Amino acid sequence: AQSVTQLGSHVSVSEGALVLLRCNYSSSVPPYLFWYVQYPNQGLQLLLKYTSAATLVKGINGFEAEFKKSETSFHLTKPSAHMSDAAEYFCAVSGINTDKLIFGTGTRLQVFP
Amino acid sequence: EAQVTQNPRYLITVTGKKLTVTCSQNMNHEYMSWYRQDPGLGLRQIYYSMNVEVTDKGDVPEGYKVSRKEKRNFPLILESPSPNQTSLYFCASRNGYNEQFFGPGTRLTVL
């Protein structure tokens, strides 16, 4: 069975500060891992994905995530937060041979000036 | 423009009145699915479809029906809506790289 845990339902940072959103996964098969972003009143947009190639994955808008098998983690980071990064972020996992996508409960990021 | 469209975007209805939320994608994707999003629960899969005439239950299928008569369309049907189906609904389609593309969402309120 697969599952995703996002630590912290709310994260607040100052503009220019490091953004760190945590995601831990559980999977009995090699996973595909994803981060999605949801801006207010919009659908989900893919930020980045890990599909068993490079463990450090770069995405859009300056975000990146590192797959750490030993820690079963896929944390999302951005060196310097921008006001426009305020949104809800979802981590998700699927198996290589399955189509089902399992989502975490989401982390709402607030960015203060 | 490659996209997933949903209609309506907002809907207020009453208990027991059948409704359909339409979903259409123009990317020729075989795999489509429906999710509901509720505060503190993230997104949960309702139904999915691997291809035309092939559908299966997700994690929370009770009270919902789907059909897939054409590749591009995947409507969600609530035969007898109840207040616990008040939620934000997303349709998605998936490409060959396991990337899911989401529609803009349908906010449903059942009174």
Side-chain angles (χ1 to χ4, degrees):
Chain A
Q2 296 169 313
S3 66
V4 172
T5 302
Q6 291 185 242
L7 297 173
S9 58
H10 290 82
V11 170
S12 297
V13 300
S14 299
E15 192 172 22
L18 171 72
V19 175
L20 170 61
L21 304 182
R22 300 179 186 274
C23 173
N24 288 88
Y25 71 92
S26 171
S27 178
S28 57
V29 297
Y32 285 167
L33 292 158
F34 306 82
W35 275 100
Y36 284 85
V37 60
Q38 183 180 29
Y39 298 104
N41 299 315
Q42 294 187 27
L44 279 74
Q45 179 183 1
L46 182 66
L47 265 182
L48 50 82
K49 66 176 182 178
Y50 166 77
T51 57
S52 74
T55 56
L56 182 61
V57 181
K58 294 188 184 299
I60 61 172
N61 301 337
F63 284 93
E64 63 183 35
E66 186 173 7
F67 173 70
K68 291 188 177 180
K69 186 176 179 180
S70 61
E71 299 177 8
T72 60
S73 68
F74 191 57
H75 302 331
L76 182 71
T77 60
K78 182 174 180 178
S80 177
H82 192 272
M83 297 294 290
S84 61
D85 294 327
E88 188 151 22
Y89 292 80
F90 292 93
C91 182
V93 63
S94 73
I96 290 175
N97 295 317
T98 70
D99 299 298
K100 190 170 182 178
L101 198 60
I102 306 294
F103 284 88
T105 53
T107 297
R108 185 167 297 279
L109 175 66
Q110 287 185 302
V111 182
F112 292 100
Chain B
E1 179 190 355
Q3 60 182 351
V4 178
T5 57
Q6 294 178 228
N7 281 293
R9 293 290 312 279
Y10 301 90
L11 179 60
I12 301 174
T13 190
V14 295
T15 298
K17 186 176 181 181
K18 181 179 178 180
L19 66 92
T20 299
V21 183
T22 64
C23 172
S24 183
Q25 52 97 1
N26 62 1
M27 295 169 279
N28 203 37
H29 292 164
E30 293 182 345
Y31 182 92
M32 297 183 73
S33 57
W34 275 102
Y35 295 86
R36 61 177 289 173
Q37 182 181 9
D38 301 290
L41 297 177
L43 280 82
R44 295 176 292 167
Q45 190 181 56
I46 303 171
Y47 268 95
Y48 65 95
S49 170
M50 303 286 284
N51 212 327
V52 176
E53 302 291 4
V54 181
T55 64
D56 207 348
K57 297 177 181 179
D59 295 315
V60 288
E62 294 76 21
Y64 304 95
K65 285 175 59 177
V66 293
S67 69
R68 188 90 181 275
K69 297 188 184 335
E70 307 164 278
K71 199 172 190 178
R72 63 183 294 126
N73 296 322
F74 189 45
L76 179 69
I77 303 156
L78 284 72
E79 295 269 3
S80 182
S82 62
N84 64 12
Q85 292 179 297
T86 292
S87 187
L88 180 58
Y89 292 87
F90 289 102
C91 180
S93 69
R94 196 202 71 181
N95 66 12
Y97 301 100
N98 234 31
E99 299 172 359
Q100 297 215 18
F101 296 82
F102 287 82
T106 295
R107 188 168 293 279
L108 172 66
T109 301
V110 183
L111 302 175

